Amino acid sequence: MQVLKDAIAAAISTLLRDRLGEAPGTVVVEYPPATGMGDLASPVAFEMAKRLRRAPRLIAQELAQHFPRVPGVARVEAGGAGYLNIFLDRGALVRDLARLLSAPPPAPSGPSIVVEHTNINPNKAAHIGHLRNAVLGDTLARGLRFLGRRVEVQNYIDDTGVQVADVLIGFQEIARQGLEEVRRIPGRFDHVCWDLYARVTELYAADPGKLALRPMVLKALEAGHGPIAALAAHVTPRIVNCHLDTMARIGVRYDLLPREQDILALRFWETAFALLKERRAIVQVESGERAGCWVMALSGPRFADLKEGEKILVRSNGTVTYVGKDIAYQLWKFGLLASDFRYTPFRDDPDGHRTWSTTHDAGAEGAPAFGRAEIVYNVIDVRQAYLQAIVVEGLKALGHQAQAERSIHCAYEMVALTPTSAAALGVTLTDEDRRRPYVEMSGRRGLGVKADDLLDALEARARAEIDARNAELTPGEAERLARAIAVGALRYFMIKFTRNKVLAFDFDEALSFEGETGPYLQYAAVRAAGIFDKMAAAGGSAEAEARRAAVGEPFDLPPGEAAEEHWGLLLQIARFRDTVSQAIDALELSQIAKYAFNLAQRFNTFYHKYPVMKESDPRWKSARVALTALFLAQMRRALDLMGIPVPSRM
């Protein structure tokens, strides 16, 4: 549809210049509210009426009368007070759509796009908030790839930060374990660290003097040698592997794991620091409580709350703040540093996908090239908007205005739990918590839920429903189906809300087979596939029947309400790519979820009203088989883009 819309807009623009001597910079072609008003429409006559001082209806009539031939367009009419109503060639649209849905995905092209997401501190297990980040980032990357863009997914590993320092202090001061003892810890290491990290918070509360250990450990981490660094070199990659295992459960994976330690070891920050000093974008404070710190001056409404009107990039003890290192990292992502990482394989998936890690050692021969992106998307929650704005200001201060504009913060609100779901996951609630619409997770209050615990609970509930519905399944089949439904429930729930809305996760809502849920979409796809299974079981050739969708003749139907409903479903099937493009442009992935739900809902309504197998008229039956085939192919694409698996049965 987008190709058609672009061709129609170009034809209108040319016609306006030829007939009326001028045309607007952009010609809008949109979807009308009802098919009787055309399959597409343009309000361009209203805009031209203001310029030409003519009635829009007369302009629309002239344009319709002289409209050139455009492949895929059957006719153009003037409608209403001045709309151009465009009616498409139905047979051509069916053939084009069938070819598109059966073709392999396009080879990625164009400059590289970096999508950075997840970014879990390697100090403990992932929590439920990380799941929203990972699902949004993964869906964004899948959407860009669906549109044919070249995408590189990065998961930044902050292995020299405060959180890592604290868990190392926990091993030393609480567990009293050194490197060899830590190596021998069995089981889910990230879950062990989750509990240990909570105890470190208690340690600081009981003995504030222990906080003096933190800067010492941070300094040792940045230096990269000694017993502390050796312990960190074991702890952080082991936890990262656990994180990757968690994210693999929901179909999320990465191309590159850039490590903060390598940014420091390869002197990325020193290079960026020198550039910032050269441009006089930062200055060293000479007196007061910030004496010795290097700061960046910031102005404008976004930074009005800054007391000193400046942000510290380097502390007085010489350690670099998070935002300072992130400026250096952002410069590298755009290929604006003279330096580059070296790379080493981190792990390989069973299907051959390799996740790479940066290294400051020699690196592996034949490693792919990373970075040098044209656009960078940073998927980070809305609380980081201020720091992301400082990173952008850093790019501007160095004269990289274009890259600053293409440094895009994909922000999102936090994840909470409904009180019922929080209680089901073992969270201790106060009476006040139970009265609220949702319970915020808070490390300070000890309210946190591991991502694995949420996934385990989803799978267990899905398994109970499957066992009740399908007693004949083997344990292995039931387990695989439960996992697919749990992933579908989680991922759809994380996508369907707008990014600026707090997400209150609810088990019953997410796992429902009715309403706007992942299982509802999965069920629609399974139902459509079941039609072809029934055709094959009845002795028919499902493949041959479905192939008729590429012919176009099945939609040469008698006029009337039934034909228009068939055509309306086809038009909605055809709008998927257009929807994805709009969702990516607006950074509102909920539009994709809404499209998939509306399409599934429309197909289910159509299926109940117009049977396929029981239809006696061969023309109607062929049309419905073709529609079902096209719906199934498009729904599978939509589910794949959202990372939702399609089960073999429900």
Side-chain angles (χ1 to χ4, degrees):
M1 293 296 285
Q2 188 59 52
V3 173
L4 265 174
K5 287 169 70 176
D6 291 344
I8 290 166
I12 292 173
S13 183
T14 300
L15 182 59
L16 284 169
R17 291 191 184 91
D18 291 346
R19 300 289 308 178
L20 303 176
E22 60 177 304
T26 302
V27 174
V28 175
V29 178
E30 58 194 14
Y31 297 105
T35 54
M37 300 176 181
D39 303 319
L40 296 169
S42 176
V44 68
F46 294 98
E47 182 173 352
M48 295 304 298
K50 298 175 185 177
R51 301 186 182 196
L52 302 175
R53 299 182 182 276
R54 291 176 56 187
R57 173 77 181 178
L58 295 176
I59 295 173
Q61 288 175 336
E62 182 175 351
L63 294 176
Q65 181 181 354
H66 297 281
F67 204 86
R69 183 181 179 281
V70 175
V73 174
R75 68 184 192 280
V76 178
E77 299 175 355
Y83 280 93
L84 269 183
N85 294 338
I86 299 135
F87 296 85
L88 303 180
D89 181 334
R90 298 185 175 188
L93 180 63
V94 174
R95 290 191 295 272
D96 290 345
L97 182 58
R99 281 196 294 268
L100 176 67
L101 292 175
S102 62
S109 61
S112 177
I113 296 174
V114 165
V115 176
E116 179 200 342
H117 68 81
T118 306
N119 301 359
I120 311 172
N121 289 315
N123 67 314
K124 61 178 181 176
H127 59 64
I128 61 172
H130 296 130
L131 292 174
R132 189 177 198 187
N133 184 306
V135 169
L136 288 174
D138 184 61
T139 303
L140 173 62
R142 288 170 183 253
L144 289 164
R145 285 174 176 144
F146 174 80
L147 296 175
R149 303 303 303 270
R150 193 184 310 276
V151 180
E152 176 184 314
V153 177
Q154 297 184 8
N155 177 7
Y156 183 75
I157 308 301
D158 181 2
D159 54 359
T160 65
V162 169
Q163 290 81 4
V164 172
D166 283 350
V167 81
L168 296 175
I169 290 169
F171 279 119
Q172 289 188 320
E173 298 295 317
I174 298 173
R176 300 292 180 181
Q177 292 174 317
L179 176 58
E180 292 309 313
E181 292 86 357
V182 173
R183 286 183 190 275
R184 292 194 293 268
I185 294 175
R188 283 299 303 245
F189 186 66
D190 56 336
H191 291 195
V192 172
C193 293
W194 175 285
D195 296 331
L196 180 61
Y197 186 72
R199 293 174 64 192
V200 174
T201 303
E202 297 170 359
L203 173 69
Y204 292 152
D207 185 359
K210 293 292 186 183
L211 281 166
L213 296 171
R214 186 185 277 169
M216 296 166 55
V217 172
L218 285 171
K219 195 72 174 176
L221 288 176
E222 289 194 10
H225 54 78
I228 289 289
L231 180 60
H234 170 77
V235 169
T236 56
R238 189 169 170 186
I239 292 177
V240 170
N241 256 310
C242 294
H243 292 166
L244 297 192
D245 289 340
T246 299
M247 295 307 159
R249 295 179 67 177
I250 59 171
V252 174
R253 58 190 186 182
Y254 313 90
D255 299 310
L256 179 66
L257 308 176
R259 300 190 314 157
E260 186 168 286
Q261 185 182 78
D262 298 321
I263 287 177
L264 296 170
L266 293 169
R267 303 181 182 275
F268 280 21
W269 165 245
E270 291 183 22
T271 302
F273 188 39
L275 292 171
L276 288 164
K277 286 192 291 186
E278 182 182 335
R279 298 279 301 205
R280 299 186 178 179
I282 59 174
V283 295
Q284 190 172 33
V285 180
E286 296 182 355
S287 61
E289 61 180 18
R290 295 186 169 198
C293 296
W294 286 88
V295 299
M296 175 187 290
L298 299 165
S299 60
R302 184 68 187 81
F303 307 105
D305 58 341
L306 270 179
K307 279 186 182 180
E308 311 291 337
E310 57 196 21
K311 179 66 178 176
I312 296 175
L313 298 191
V314 182
R315 302 180 187 93
S316 58
N317 65 359
T319 58
V320 187
T321 62
Y322 163 81
V323 72
K325 287 176 279 192
D326 212 41
I327 289 172
Y329 176 37
Q330 198 78 349
L331 287 167
W332 170 81
K333 282 187 280 189
F334 281 111
L336 300 174
L337 282 181
S339 306
D340 195 5
F341 291 112
R342 294 184 282 275
Y343 307 97
T344 186
F346 188 80
R347 62 188 259 172
D348 293 320
D349 294 333
D351 67 354
H353 176 81
R354 171 167 285 180
T355 300
W356 291 80
S357 170
T358 62
T359 180
H360 54 270
D361 294 330
E365 292 186 11
F370 292 103
R372 300 186 179 276
E374 181 185 46
I375 302 172
V376 174
Y377 292 94
N378 296 318
V379 183
I380 308 175
D381 74 55
V382 70
R383 293 169 296 181
Q384 301 297 318
Y386 168 74
L387 293 178
Q388 286 294 302
I390 295 175
V391 171
V392 169
E393 290 301 309
L395 294 176
K396 291 179 181 177
L398 291 171
H400 303 302
Q401 182 68 35
Q403 287 81 2
E405 292 172 0
R406 297 197 297 268
S407 183
I408 302 168
H409 179 200
C410 181
Y412 62 92
E413 270 290 357
M414 68 173 187
V415 179
L417 291 167
T418 60
T420 302
S421 295
L425 286 166
V427 177
T428 302
L429 303 178
T430 64
D431 290 340
E432 185 180 355
D433 288 331
R434 296 180 190 280
R435 289 191 294 269
R436 291 175 175 171
Y438 56 80
V439 180
E440 296 184 26
M441 298 296 98
S442 169
R444 291 182 180 178
R445 289 183 57 200
L447 296 180
V449 175
K450 302 182 192 74
D452 286 314
D453 289 348
L454 178 64
L455 290 168
D456 289 344
L458 278 170
E459 288 185 19
R461 289 187 176 223
R463 177 65 183 270
E465 183 70 20
I466 290 163
D467 289 343
R469 290 170 176 245
N470 304 280
E472 75 283 2
L473 291 179
T474 67
E477 290 172 328
E479 182 181 348
R480 286 190 293 273
L481 182 53
R483 190 178 303 121
I485 291 173
V487 171
L490 176 86
R491 290 197 60 134
Y492 190 82
F493 204 93
M494 293 292 178
I495 298 170
K496 76 173 183 176
F497 296 99
T498 55
R499 290 185 295 116
N500 61 359
K501 181 178 176 61
V502 173
L503 188 157
F505 191 86
D506 184 83
F507 282 111
D508 293 336
E509 181 183 348
L511 283 166
S512 175
F513 279 51
E514 299 294 332
E516 194 174 349
T517 69
Y520 178 79
L521 302 188
Q522 290 171 312
Y523 183 70
V526 170
R527 166 181 275 177
I531 292 173
F532 296 105
D533 293 338
K534 291 175 183 177
M535 290 174 62
S541 174
E543 183 179 352
E545 289 288 342
R547 198 176 292 127
R548 291 178 63 84
V551 177
E553 293 178 1
F555 286 90
D556 183 21
L557 299 172
E561 179 183 348
E564 292 309 306
E565 288 191 59
H566 285 63
W567 177 240
L569 175 59
L570 180 73
L571 284 176
Q572 191 163 352
I573 294 170
R575 289 174 62 170
F576 178 56
R577 186 179 180 86
D578 199 8
T579 300
V580 174
S581 181
Q582 292 171 7
I584 297 296
D585 288 345
L587 272 187
E588 195 48 80
L589 304 177
S590 60
Q591 294 178 15
I592 299 170
K594 182 68 71 176
Y595 167 88
F597 170 67
N598 289 337
L599 180 59
Q601 197 174 41
R602 186 161 190 166
F603 174 77
N604 285 337
T605 301
F606 179 87
Y607 175 84
H608 284 298
K609 188 173 182 179
Y610 299 110
V612 178
M613 294 292 293
K614 296 180 181 178
E615 177 57 57
S616 57
D617 187 321
R619 294 176 68 195
W620 286 112
K621 184 174 182 179
S622 293
R624 290 169 198 167
V625 168
L627 265 176
T628 302
L630 294 172
F631 162 78
L632 179 58
Q634 197 71 294
M635 180 56 68
R636 282 173 170 165
R637 283 155 61 105
L639 290 172
D640 181 69
L641 194 153
M642 292 186 286
I644 297 174
V646 181
S648 58
R649 61 184 298 172
M650 291 285 280

